[in-house]
Amino acid sequence: ARLNLGKLIYSMVRYINPNIVVETGVGYGISSSLILKALQKNNRGSLISIDLSPLDDRDGAFVGLAVSERDKHRWVLHRGTSRQRLKKILSGVEEVDLFLADSANVFTLQKYEFDHGWPQLSDSGAILVNQVRERFRSYVDSKPGAQLFAVRSDDEIGVTAIIRRHGRTV
C-alpha cells in the first residue's frame, strides 16, 4: 500500500466505523494492518481478507506479514482468489460496510469484485478500488445509485476510486 492509499484506507475505516470490512488482495498486509489499527481505535469491527500466495511464496509465509499478533483477533484470512472465495464469504455476512478491492488491477476482476460487493454494501458503506482505469470508471458510472469519486496523487500512478451509494438502489 502506498502512503496516500494507506492514509485513505485508515481514514475511511475511522469515518465509516464499519462492523464488517472485506478486502481482496493482502500482499504483505500493510493495508490489512492499517484497517485493523483503525478498527481497534473504533473499538469495533472485523476484517475478512482474501489473497492468493504469490508463486515465489507458495507457503504463504509473507502474506499478511505486517499484521501484528495483537490485531489478528479481528482478522480472518482466506487463501485463494476472489473468484474462488468472494461469493461464499459474502453469502455469510448480512452486509459489508467497507470493501477494499486491491487484488489484480484488471478491469474484469475489478468488475467481478464490484458486482459481488455492491449488493452487499450497507447504506453508509463504501467500496475502495485501487488502480482504476477509465473503462472501470465508465462501468461504475452506468450503475444506478453509484457515485464514484476519484482520488489521484501526484506521487502515485493510477487512481483510487471511492464508490458510495446515492440513495438505496440495488
Side-chain angles (χ1 to χ4, degrees):
R2 295 183 183 268
L3 180 60
N4 287 335
L5 176 60
K7 288 178 182 179
L8 177 62
I9 291 167
Y10 183 86
S11 298
M12 289 295 291
V13 174
R14 293 288 287 137
Y15 175 73
I16 292 174
N17 195 18
N19 185 43
I20 300 289
V21 179
V22 173
E23 167 192 41
T24 60
V26 175
Y28 291 117
I30 302 298
S31 58
S32 307
S33 180
L34 291 167
I35 292 167
L36 291 165
K37 297 279 185 227
L39 292 173
Q40 185 66 31
K41 188 83 170 172
N42 290 349
N43 199 29
R44 76 175 278 209
S46 61
L47 170 63
I48 303 167
S49 302
I50 305 168
D51 202 4
L52 180 66
S53 300
L55 292 175
D56 59 349
D57 181 26
R58 290 194 187 276
D59 297 333
F62 297 113
V63 174
L65 189 65
V67 175
S68 71
E69 285 299 320
R70 71 178 173 272
D71 292 331
K72 286 186 177 178
H73 69 282
R74 294 183 182 275
W75 189 41
V76 177
L77 173 61
H78 296 269
R79 305 289 181 142
T81 67
S82 59
R83 289 190 189 274
Q84 294 169 328
R85 306 276 186 230
L86 188 58
K87 276 187 191 180
K88 184 174 182 180
I89 289 167
L90 291 175
S91 71
V93 298
E94 188 173 319
E95 60 185 12
V96 173
D97 302 302
L98 183 62
F99 187 109
L100 172 60
D102 193 18
S103 50
N105 301 314
V106 294
F107 172 75
T108 54
L109 188 55
Q110 289 173 331
K111 179 182 175 298
Y112 177 87
E113 292 175 353
F114 176 83
D115 286 346
H116 286 83
W118 182 251
Q120 294 291 117
L121 198 62
S122 68
D123 288 339
S124 61
I127 297 177
L128 298 177
V129 183
N130 195 27
Q131 300 291 323
V132 299
R133 304 288 187 263
E134 190 57 40
R135 186 174 176 199
F136 180 75
R137 292 172 74 176
S138 296
Y139 175 74
V140 171
D141 284 343
S142 73
K143 293 295 189 183
Q147 284 186 309
L148 185 143
F149 304 92
V151 180
R152 183 181 303 265
S153 175
D154 292 338
D155 64 338
E156 295 182 25
I157 298 170
V159 172
T160 300
I162 303 170
I163 305 162
R164 295 290 309 259
R165 198 178 294 287
H166 179 68
R168 182 69 177 161
T169 55
V170 178

